[in-house]
Amino acid sequence: MLRNLWYKSAIIYQLDVRTFFDSDGNGWGDFQGLIEKLDYISGLGATCIWLKPFNPSPHRDDGYDISDYYAVDPHVGTLGDLADFLEEAASRGLAVITELVVNHTSTEHPWFVEAARSRDSELRDLYIWRDEPPPDGESPERIVFDGDDRSVWTKDDRTGQYYLHRFYPFEPDLDSAHPFLRSEIEKMILYYLKLGSAGFRIDAAPYLAEKASAAPEYDDAHDYLRDLRSFLTERRPDAAFMAEADVEPEKLDDFFGEGDEMNLMLNFLASEYIWLGLAQGSAVPLRELCDVLPRPPHSGQYANFLRNHDELDLEMLDEQDRRLVFETFAPHDDMRIFGRGIRRRAAPMLNGDPRRIRLAHSLLFSMPGTPIIYYGDEIGMGEDLSLWERRPVRLPMQWGPETNGGFSTATGDALYHPPLADGEFGYAEVNVADQRGDPDSLLNWMRHLVTTRKEAHAVGHGEWHVIDTGSDAVLGLHYDNNQEVVIVFHNLSDEASSVTFTPETELAYLYEMFADDQYGHPETEEHQFKINRLGYRWLRGRTA
């Protein structure tokens, strides 16, 4: 049984079963293949798997266009295979977070097929319809994929009305104010809890809450999320909600509530500011981030990532900072998307430079919150910019140098996504098999980083503050959890630095947990700490 706040100490590994490992040669990753690779995930040190949608789907949006909430896509297995996977994961101490994608369905979902059949359909009001869309510039509904010419309203010729879709036209928005839908959402939660899910990532949480607020029993947009959390906790006290809510910093508090809404919040702002700091070679943006991020309640936690399965969204940066990040990490137009995002993987964004890649991941793991590893980042996988929209970063896992990177024995169009075969990030150059036996590989370094973070319990559970290092280049963070103290320094510049730091309380000892170099014993009278260019030092102590 998991402890109620297990997610605060978790190391989350995000993956898509379709692109992880194909056990039967049909070109699609599957649950039996994932079971075969659970020891790899466990060996990396992960404690939780965030699983992308695995339900039946037309796959026009990589599975987020769901056509049946209670079934498994036959390409990846059966309900029995899913249950087998969840049991095998639990036997290794791995929690599994599944997706709750209930802001929209596929147009092929039976609900929409029936709703679109007639204006008199009993399911008509599960979706949002208008006789005419609002005039240009007057629609209150935000276009998620701004930067292109899509409208959020599409006409259905069968009934002559327009339906709302904040994402794609093949993903009509559900109306979460509808009692039938809210009842179905509770059934979905209960269904997957019974199968063994330890929590749910709530897709498009702000839109779900906003629409639900129109129900007469709710006073504001967050009443529904509180109800949903209450339902979850009553059924399984240690289950967690992780919300996708890319909102302004001042609105993040609303999603934590008083500890009665979201357990985890995906930290989009941290991702943007980490990349801005790396672009500037400065810790100043990260200090600003620490100033503006609301402190979550005791039961709340940020879920931090360098980038995930979508575009790296830079919307919260001002125009000048966004331009710098673009010019540094996405200099060509085909690397950018929606006018505000980057469709690249972390390793190629950092030009494959081992020092920068390790600095970026060390930064991620040292930030207040729970770290997320996007599958393949632990070996430095790349992207395929020839693929459509956000798919360049969703390539098959690269297990070895053999055909298809060891992902599948299928060929050609049978493959769910083509593997990256060529270039410095292709599977012949970047793969698990080669890195396993190399003590200096990124994979083995990542295992060390994960172990360090798991030992630094204070980072997930303690109080924290930014250290005044006296250097714009060096970020210092101080964590305190009862008597355990963890101090972490990162030098984001290309020049070595030295900082002076005097702990606020006397320490019984201080030792180096993890660093980019052998710096020697850290305990000196002046508390001076040298840090190499692009260097990092994790130190642990105990109050006297």
Side-chain angles (χ1 to χ4, degrees):
M1 176 65 73
L2 297 168
R3 294 189 304 169
N4 284 12
L5 300 182
W6 60 271
Y7 50 87
K8 298 188 76 170
S9 299
I11 309 294
I12 300 175
Y13 190 80
Q14 183 198 1
L15 64 88
D16 184 347
V17 64
R18 299 174 178 91
T19 57
F20 207 60
F21 185 64
D22 172 17
S23 70
D24 59 10
N26 71 350
W28 294 51
D30 48 57
F31 278 113
Q32 290 303 319
L34 181 50
I35 290 170
E36 289 184 38
K37 298 299 185 181
L38 281 177
D39 289 335
Y40 166 80
I41 298 171
S42 181
L44 181 62
T47 61
C48 176
I49 295 174
W50 164 14
L51 200 61
K52 283 181 62 181
F54 47 76
N55 310 96
S57 164
H59 301 293
R60 300 177 69 186
D61 187 16
D62 270 352
Y64 283 91
D65 49 333
I66 293 174
S67 57
D68 185 346
Y69 287 110
Y70 298 101
V72 171
D73 187 330
H75 289 95
V76 304
T78 64
L79 274 174
D81 292 328
L82 170 60
D84 191 14
F85 156 70
L86 291 168
E87 183 175 359
E88 289 288 343
S91 74
R92 292 165 174 80
L94 289 163
V96 178
I97 291 176
T98 52
E99 294 266 4
L100 192 63
V101 185
V102 288
N103 176 70
H104 53 260
T105 67
S106 165
T107 49
E108 296 184 22
H109 193 289
W111 290 347
F112 187 78
V113 172
E114 170 58 25
R117 183 179 58 80
S118 165
R119 293 195 185 195
D120 298 324
S121 168
E122 291 183 358
L123 298 184
R124 185 74 172 176
D125 292 339
L126 273 181
Y127 299 88
I128 299 168
W129 304 87
R130 288 195 178 186
D131 290 333
E132 294 291 338
D136 289 345
E138 295 183 19
S139 176
E141 290 81 13
R142 177 178 180 269
I143 300 174
V144 174
F145 299 130
D146 56 0
D148 59 31
D149 296 326
R150 296 189 184 120
S151 167
V152 296
W153 295 95
T154 289
K155 188 175 184 179
D156 181 72
D157 293 333
R158 289 165 290 186
T159 60
Q161 283 189 314
Y162 292 78
Y163 61 87
L164 175 67
H165 53 85
R166 295 179 192 262
F167 294 89
Y168 296 102
F170 52 80
E171 289 176 336
D173 272 30
L174 287 160
D175 186 358
S176 47
H178 199 292
F180 172 81
L181 176 60
R182 284 183 277 131
S183 174
E184 283 295 311
I185 291 172
E186 290 179 352
K187 290 178 184 177
M188 294 174 208
I189 291 172
L190 187 58
Y191 182 77
Y192 286 104
L193 286 178
K194 292 289 188 182
L195 281 172
S197 176
F200 302 87
R201 180 250 191 194
I202 301 182
D203 185 64
Y207 303 135
L208 184 71
E210 173 193 322
K211 289 178 289 188
S213 67
E217 60 266 42
Y218 297 136
D219 293 327
D220 64 50
H222 290 271
D223 281 346
Y224 175 57
L225 295 182
R226 283 187 282 271
D227 269 4
L228 209 58
R229 168 68 183 280
S230 177
F231 178 87
L232 176 75
T233 304
E234 286 174 4
R235 272 71 186 175
R236 182 172 174 178
D238 61 351
F241 277 143
M242 180 169 69
E244 179 198 33
D246 191 0
V247 297
E248 296 82 358
E250 60 271 17
K251 295 181 180 179
L252 289 169
D253 256 351
D254 297 336
F255 286 89
F256 285 121
E258 300 295 327
D260 56 355
E261 291 188 48
M262 300 297 103
N263 306 80
L264 290 160
M265 290 288 295
L266 287 166
N267 197 348
F268 291 89
L269 203 63
S271 177
E272 296 183 48
Y273 276 73
I274 287 173
W275 287 104
L276 177 60
L278 292 170
Q280 291 182 349
S282 168
V284 172
L286 291 163
R287 292 197 196 113
E288 293 175 355
L289 168 71
C290 292
D291 286 340
V292 301
L293 270 181
R295 301 291 176 106
H298 174 68
S299 63
Q301 184 85 304
Y302 289 108
N304 302 321
F305 56 91
L306 284 180
R307 54 125 46 259
N308 58 19
H309 61 286
D310 288 326
E311 73 279 9
L312 170 59
D313 193 339
L314 305 175
E315 185 176 16
M316 297 296 175
L317 301 182
D318 64 34
E319 185 176 349
Q320 180 178 349
D321 289 339
R322 188 183 306 119
R323 184 166 57 250
L324 174 64
V325 176
F326 273 145
E327 291 171 352
T328 306
F329 300 119
H332 305 297
D333 287 345
D334 67 344
M335 299 174 175
R336 306 175 187 180
I337 188 171
F338 305 140
R340 64 173 194 273
I342 295 176
R343 60 191 209 118
R344 304 191 72 196
R345 280 262 190 170
M349 286 173 68
L350 296 166
N351 295 320
D353 182 345
R355 292 189 70 90
R356 294 183 189 277
I357 293 170
R358 295 178 187 199
L359 172 68
H361 282 95
S362 181
L363 261 174
L364 170 69
F365 272 66
S366 72
M367 297 299 291
T370 297
I372 299 174
I373 304 169
Y374 186 45
Y375 81 96
D377 276 0
E378 73 273 17
I379 59 171
M381 275 178 55
E383 75 271 334
D384 183 351
L385 294 173
S386 70
L387 298 179
W388 180 70
E389 276 200 358
R390 295 172 291 174
R391 289 182 181 171
V393 302
R394 302 173 179 179
L395 302 179
M397 183 65 177
Q398 296 172 190
W399 295 107
E402 64 269 30
T403 303
N404 294 329
F407 161 70
S408 174
T409 58
T411 58
D413 292 341
L415 291 162
Y416 178 65
H417 283 331
L420 186 62
D422 302 319
E424 63 178 308
F425 298 100
Y427 54 73
E429 302 296 328
V430 176
N431 62 72
V432 171
D434 289 347
Q435 292 193 26
R436 278 184 191 274
D438 179 359
D440 297 322
S441 69
L442 178 59
L443 175 61
N444 283 312
W445 179 90
M446 283 289 289
R447 286 173 171 161
H448 194 175
L449 175 64
V450 170
T451 299
T452 301
R453 171 54 201 271
K454 290 165 82 171
E455 292 176 355
H457 194 71
V459 180
H461 289 266
E463 299 295 324
W464 63 275
H465 65 265
V466 176
I467 297 170
D468 182 4
T469 63
S471 168
D472 284 350
V474 179
L475 176 68
L477 293 171
H478 180 285
Y479 295 91
D480 192 335
N481 185 47
N482 296 322
Q483 289 185 298
E484 181 198 15
V485 172
V486 174
I487 299 163
V488 192
F489 294 110
H490 286 88
N491 181 5
L492 280 78
S493 81
D494 273 313
E495 296 183 1
S497 185
S498 179
V499 300
T500 301
F501 164 66
T502 302
E504 296 177 358
T505 57
E506 184 181 353
L507 298 179
Y509 61 82
L510 187 66
Y511 69 88
E512 199 113 60
M513 299 179 72
F514 186 54
D516 67 291
D517 201 352
Q518 294 182 352
Y519 287 100
H521 199 283
E523 214 165 8
T524 65
E525 288 185 8
E526 297 82 13
H527 291 286
Q528 288 186 339
F529 298 88
K530 295 180 180 179
I531 310 174
N532 295 332
R533 73 176 192 92
L534 306 175
Y536 47 87
R537 299 183 70 175
W538 291 61
L539 305 118
R540 187 179 187 184
R542 187 175 181 85
T543 55

